[in-house]
Amino acid sequence: MAGNGDNGGMQPPGTDLGGPASPLAGLVGFTTALRRAGLACEATRTDAYLQAVQWLDPADPADLYWAGRLTLCAEPDDLPRYDEAFAAWFTPLRPAQSALTPVPQPKPVMIAALRADSSANADGERDELPQLRVAASDREVLRHRDIAALSKAEREHLRELIALLRIEPPRRRAMRYRPGGRDRLDPRRTLRALLANGGEPVRLNYARRGRRPRKLVLLIDVSGSMQPYADALLRFAHAVLRRSPAFTEVFTVGTRLTRLSRQLRHRDPEQALIAAAHAVPDFAGGTRLGDGMKAFLDRWGQRGIARQAIVVVFSDGWERGDPALLGEQMRRLRRLAKAVFWVNPHAGHAGYRPVQSGVAAAMPYVDSLLAGHSLDTLEILLREIRDA
């Protein structure tokens, strides 16, 4: 086996290994070259390599190659550097590619792909310029699909996409000032800089109002008519609450009002949904939005949760109670909240009109009526909440 000239006395194949030039020096020199190439060939790995060579044929390149690969390589990233160093140290001829060597696989294209397609004209000839057609990816198609019409596999994919939503909580101006900006003069910092400079005039220091998260309240209708959307909306609420748990509250409204903020604080979405299912006694039942809204305002909203908060109501507006009661409670809520959004999954369908009794009673006190029937409309809702 031929060396590269400085292999520490490694004898070529067929020579006597018991001569004055021992092959161990060449093998130790090979491990030194591997360390220079970036492999972590510590003393224990070098000793294991030498022990393995003693049980193999040092004159066989394949034995030397695999003995070093199995003892001196610590991770898959070491394999290309090991192969290069082995070829440079011993011989340019390497053993044949083994099935154990990982073969790089091309990554699947996850974005929209452009496909060239030429169309024939009336004479049967192809157009000179091909038409570029956009083959939308599964994710792009799913973003605009109605949640109620998704298959089981598509719902599983949607759950993953909801967990990956980029959520920016709403913010408001804080009472405290921070250094920087041009809101007002900061006399304390200016005076300190003056004293530190020996009384000489210095640059004036200014302060600006800081920003802090604004309270966000989500009221989700879990009645029978909202059942196809309930799971996705609760997962959406979980993602929003996990982003800002101290300033987000989640309630469900059906025949009664249930607070789910504690249950949805679980890190795992599945555990959070299981806990929420045990806490909601009226899932897929009737709808009494007026009574639920009154209970929310009397117990939590009037006492501070809804004050200057952004309140989002997820409901299709099918009210079995008194619509006048709902309108009265929405008027109370509008006086307390910073902004009120009503999210109706049916609002995204063509030809929709807000004629349901609950929606009609609430519309005069709602800042915006939004559609929440798809992932794309939920992302629009997040932007509206951020900019409110």
Side-chain angles (χ1 to χ4, degrees):
M1 179 168 49
N4 63 353
D6 59 346
N7 58 1
M10 184 65 187
Q11 300 293 330
T15 59
D16 185 7
L17 296 177
S22 173
L24 295 181
L27 298 180
V28 174
F30 174 52
T31 60
T32 303
L34 290 178
R35 281 195 294 270
R36 293 174 181 173
L39 275 72
C41 298
E42 62 272 10
T44 57
R45 292 187 177 274
T46 302
D47 182 67
Y49 178 46
L50 298 179
Q51 294 291 336
V53 171
Q54 292 181 5
W55 291 92
L56 302 174
D57 183 8
D60 188 356
D63 288 352
L64 288 177
Y65 174 83
W66 286 107
R69 175 166 168 164
L70 296 176
T71 57
L72 300 176
C73 296
E75 54 186 17
D77 293 340
D78 293 343
L79 299 181
R81 288 178 288 183
Y82 173 80
D83 292 347
E84 183 179 356
F86 185 89
W89 187 265
F90 293 108
T91 174
L93 299 177
R94 293 191 320 185
Q97 185 77 9
S98 172
L100 298 178
T101 304
V103 179
Q105 298 292 337
K107 296 182 178 180
V109 180
M110 299 303 295
I111 60 175
L114 292 179
R115 181 167 56 91
D117 184 18
S118 58
S119 58
N121 53 25
D123 298 332
E125 299 178 356
R126 295 283 182 174
D127 293 336
E128 295 181 0
L129 297 178
Q131 297 179 355
L132 295 180
R133 296 184 179 178
V134 179
S137 66
D138 294 341
R139 179 173 180 175
E140 288 298 320
V141 174
L142 189 60
R143 288 181 69 252
H144 300 277
R145 290 281 305 277
D146 193 327
I147 297 174
L150 298 181
S151 63
K152 183 178 180 180
E154 291 173 335
R155 287 180 179 274
E156 292 293 337
H157 192 191
L158 179 66
R159 293 171 183 176
E160 300 175 0
L161 297 180
I162 290 177
L164 297 176
L165 284 175
R166 182 179 179 182
I167 300 172
E168 298 181 21
R171 306 185 70 85
R172 65 178 180 87
R173 298 184 67 184
M175 297 300 297
R176 294 184 178 181
Y177 284 84
R178 295 183 177 181
R182 303 289 295 184
D183 288 356
R184 73 170 188 178
L185 182 67
D186 191 342
R188 179 176 298 179
R189 294 180 63 245
T190 302
L191 182 59
R192 286 180 178 178
L194 182 66
L195 295 177
N197 202 34
E200 294 293 332
V202 295
R203 180 172 54 89
L204 299 178
N205 291 283
Y206 290 86
R208 60 181 175 84
R209 293 279 290 271
R211 299 184 68 83
R212 58 176 300 177
R214 182 183 292 276
K215 290 178 292 185
L216 176 63
V217 180
L218 306 179
L219 298 167
I220 303 176
D221 185 354
V222 292
S223 61
S225 59
M226 287 289 293
Q227 184 177 0
Y229 303 94
D231 180 80
L233 293 180
L234 287 174
R235 292 179 183 275
F236 173 79
H238 171 263
V240 174
L241 186 142
R242 286 291 305 167
R243 181 64 177 83
S244 181
F247 296 90
T248 306
E249 296 287 344
V250 180
F251 297 83
T252 59
V253 183
T255 56
R256 56 171 294 180
L257 181 75
T258 305
R259 187 181 186 184
L260 293 181
S261 303
R262 180 175 60 85
Q263 288 79 2
L264 294 182
R265 285 195 175 96
H266 287 282
R267 182 181 298 273
D268 184 16
E270 301 302 328
Q271 294 294 330
L273 266 293
I274 291 174
H278 289 299
V280 179
D282 56 342
F283 184 79
T287 310
R288 302 186 66 88
L289 296 176
D291 294 336
M293 192 67 65
K294 185 177 186 304
F296 164 72
L297 292 174
D298 292 343
R299 186 172 180 180
W300 288 287
Q302 198 76 33
R303 298 181 180 181
I305 287 184
R307 292 185 180 274
Q308 293 302 305
I310 297 177
V311 182
V312 183
V313 181
F314 297 87
S315 177
D316 55 3
W318 291 106
E319 173 64 89
R320 291 188 177 182
D322 185 7
L325 176 62
L326 177 60
E328 178 184 351
Q329 301 307 315
M330 291 298 297
R331 183 171 63 251
R332 290 178 58 193
L333 176 63
R334 190 63 193 88
R335 289 199 298 263
L336 294 173
K338 172 68 176 179
V340 178
F341 298 109
W342 190 289
V343 179
N344 188 340
H346 303 303
H349 299 160
Y352 170 79
R353 293 183 180 180
V355 296
Q356 295 84 1
S357 58
V359 178
M363 280 301 296
Y365 313 104
V366 171
D367 291 274
S368 181
L369 175 64
L370 303 173
H373 68 291
S374 65
L375 183 64
D376 182 67
T377 55
L378 292 179
E379 292 177 346
I380 295 175
L381 171 63
L382 289 176
R383 292 195 293 268
E384 292 287 340
I385 293 176
R386 180 197 61 191
D387 301 335

